[in-house]
Amino acid sequence: MIRIAGFILIISIFNVQQLSAATKVGTAVVNGETVYLYSDFSWKYSNTFEKNSCEMVSNSIEICKNDIWLRDRSFKSKDPTQLAQFVTDDGSFYSMIIEEKIGISDGLSLNLLQEGVLTNFADGLGLDIADVPVIQSEDKSFADYDAKYIALKGDYKGLNMVMVNTFFAIDTHNFQLVTWTVGKLLTDKIEKLHQQFIKTVKVVQ
């Protein structure tokens, strides 16, 4: 089943609002890892990558050191396809890596994968697929793979959100690299952050 992080995405956006209202007041160490402390008494793990290092998040995907995106180590999903979630330092943008064991050899095409993305985004927001506003859709490439890029917006009980997704498939798997935030417009900032995020992702075969 081709999925997108529907309700998890919505829950995370509420976390975005809470984090963006708080300011960072210090750091601490929890279980040997550095965490950021915020003025509203919340906290989150800092990026624990060593300089120029990469970290495996599955047998197929690794994420490499960057200065923008921090891995959200408090993120725990019951959905095994949602490998890892990342957040900007100010807590206003989120990204996620989704991996499924359905690929080109199973007959999966990028058009079918896009249909799944749209269907599940619509389901997560309680919309008909025809009512999902597609801001932008175009063919792209990711590393040596054919890919698609789609930008969507939606309204969940008055909460506006914008999501961009670069997705592609290999012989045995498909992957979605998703970035989202609260807002109504597809801004240059979210596009730039999304491109910075996908540049840190590598497929390992």
Side-chain angles (χ1 to χ4, degrees):
M1 180 181 180
I2 302 164
R3 289 179 259 190
I4 182 63
F7 290 107
I8 293 294
L9 184 150
I10 293 165
I11 292 168
S12 296
I13 285 178
F14 285 119
N15 290 339
V16 166
Q17 289 185 313
Q18 293 168 4
L19 284 175
S20 61
T23 56
K24 189 166 69 176
V25 296
T27 60
V29 176
V30 176
N31 297 327
E33 296 192 52
T34 301
V35 299
Y36 294 144
L37 307 176
Y38 291 88
S39 58
D40 64 353
F41 303 103
S42 63
W43 62 274
K44 68 179 180 184
Y45 284 102
S46 70
N47 195 345
T48 59
F49 296 138
E50 296 296 329
K51 187 175 182 180
N52 299 322
S53 70
C54 298
E55 177 182 0
M56 298 296 295
V57 295
S58 77
N59 291 332
S60 305
I61 290 287
E62 65 179 8
I63 181 90
C64 295
K65 164 71 179 176
N66 68 92
D67 297 324
I68 305 297
W69 291 99
L70 308 175
R71 184 167 182 182
D72 181 1
R73 298 187 183 275
S74 65
F75 173 76
K76 304 293 181 184
S77 176
K78 295 180 180 179
D79 185 343
T81 69
Q82 297 170 10
L83 300 182
Q85 182 169 278
F86 303 83
V87 62
T88 54
D89 186 48
D90 65 357
S92 57
F93 295 86
Y94 276 71
S95 282
M96 180 181 288
I97 302 172
I98 299 172
E99 175 185 2
E100 293 183 296
K101 295 180 180 179
I102 304 172
I104 296 170
S105 63
D106 301 301
L108 180 67
S109 66
L110 290 180
N111 287 336
L112 182 58
L113 184 52
Q114 178 168 310
E115 183 179 330
V117 169
L118 289 170
T119 298
N120 288 286
F121 185 79
D123 289 347
L125 297 179
L127 301 174
D128 292 329
I129 189 170
D131 296 328
V132 175
V134 178
I135 307 170
Q136 189 174 337
S137 177
E138 58 185 279
D139 294 333
K140 292 277 190 178
S141 62
F142 175 83
D144 296 325
Y145 307 103
D146 291 333
K148 277 187 174 286
Y149 166 93
I150 192 168
L152 308 171
K153 65 179 180 179
D155 181 307
Y156 180 73
K157 298 182 178 179
L159 179 66
N160 296 295
M161 64 185 71
V162 175
M163 181 194 81
V164 294
N165 188 338
T166 296
F167 52 90
F168 61 99
I170 61 175
D171 191 48
T172 56
H173 291 67
N174 72 80
F175 306 92
Q176 297 179 54
L177 310 177
V178 189
T179 303
W180 68 91
T181 190
V182 172
K184 294 182 179 181
L185 301 175
L186 178 63
T187 63
D188 291 341
K189 184 172 183 178
I190 189 173
E191 290 198 14
K192 181 178 180 181
L193 286 169
H194 181 66
Q195 293 305 315
Q196 289 170 327
F197 173 66
I198 66 177
K199 286 178 181 178
T200 69
V201 179
K202 294 183 179 180
V203 178
V204 180
Q205 295 191 73

